[in-house]
Amino acid sequence: MPREKGEKVVAVNRRARHQYTIEKTYEAGLVLSGTEVKSLRAGHANLTDGYAFIDKGEAWVDQVNIPQYSQGTWTNHAAKRQRKLLLHKDEITKLGHKVAVGGYTLVPLKLYFVDGRAKVEIGLAKGKTEYDKRQTLRERQDKREAERAMRSRNRLGE
């Protein structure tokens, strides 16, 4: 029986949603050492430089920064090492095929705990052009201004 219930988010890669169009997301388990889990439970992780890849039928995540555990000794882990992802074999082959055909990349979006187990949400992503990025920002700004105008209009009507 797990000690914890529910979901506890450790890190979110907001930059990935700006730079990529996320086609589909997958939840994967992570193979971690003891000090990595302790560091994650303390809330320390950074996904901004991370990426995932498929190698010899296995899924891996690289450049995800989980800093060393502050009270760890010689058993401490390397901060930016390759970590194995736990996915179903058919998901791995499907992702590997999409990435190999071209245009897609695998990006870690969120690192979290579900019922005490470390999970990472990876997204099958396609890179955005500068125009797409500006367009997204413009749409977000227009939406924010419209909401602001509606709020002020509703206040005047009361």
Side-chain angles (χ1 to χ4, degrees):
M1 178 173 244
R3 283 182 251 158
E4 302 172 6
K5 293 282 186 194
E7 183 177 304
K8 177 189 171 195
V9 177
V10 179
V12 177
N13 190 355
R14 292 173 51 198
R15 191 169 142 203
R17 298 218 184 253
H18 174 71
Q19 291 183 337
Y20 299 99
T21 302
I22 308 300
E23 303 273 325
K24 191 166 181 182
T25 60
Y26 295 90
E27 181 182 66
L30 274 170
V31 177
L32 300 172
S33 68
T35 54
E36 287 174 321
V37 175
K38 289 182 179 188
S39 185
L40 284 178
R41 289 198 193 282
H44 304 297
N46 189 354
L47 298 173
T48 54
D49 296 333
Y51 64 95
F53 62 95
I54 309 294
D55 184 36
K56 297 177 186 168
E58 294 179 337
W60 297 85
V61 68
D62 196 12
Q63 296 298 315
V64 172
N65 187 10
I66 300 175
Q68 291 190 345
Y69 183 56
S70 60
Q71 288 141 7
T73 57
W74 57 273
T75 59
N76 238 335
H77 62 279
K80 285 191 174 185
R81 69 176 186 89
Q82 290 183 359
R83 294 168 180 91
K84 190 173 182 178
L85 294 175
L86 303 173
L87 286 164
H88 289 284
K89 198 69 172 173
D90 59 329
E91 289 177 333
I92 292 174
T93 55
K94 202 181 299 181
L95 288 172
H97 180 69
K98 287 265 191 174
V99 171
V101 167
Y104 288 103
T105 185
L106 297 173
V107 181
L109 301 172
K110 183 166 70 168
L111 188 60
Y112 55 100
F113 284 98
V114 174
D115 295 336
R117 297 181 188 271
K119 304 283 184 181
V120 64
E121 182 180 72
I122 59 170
L124 185 64
K126 199 169 236 188
K128 284 186 182 178
T129 61
E130 282 298 317
Y131 171 76
D132 291 336
K133 292 177 190 177
R134 285 194 300 267
Q135 186 70 24
T136 305
L137 289 173
R138 193 173 302 118
E139 288 171 1
R140 195 177 308 147
Q141 185 178 9
D142 291 344
K143 183 179 176 185
R144 197 176 311 131
E145 287 174 2
E147 288 174 356
R148 194 175 297 134
M150 291 296 288
R151 260 193 312 251
S152 67
R153 184 175 168 200
N154 288 340
R155 285 188 193 136
L156 292 175
E158 292 176 357

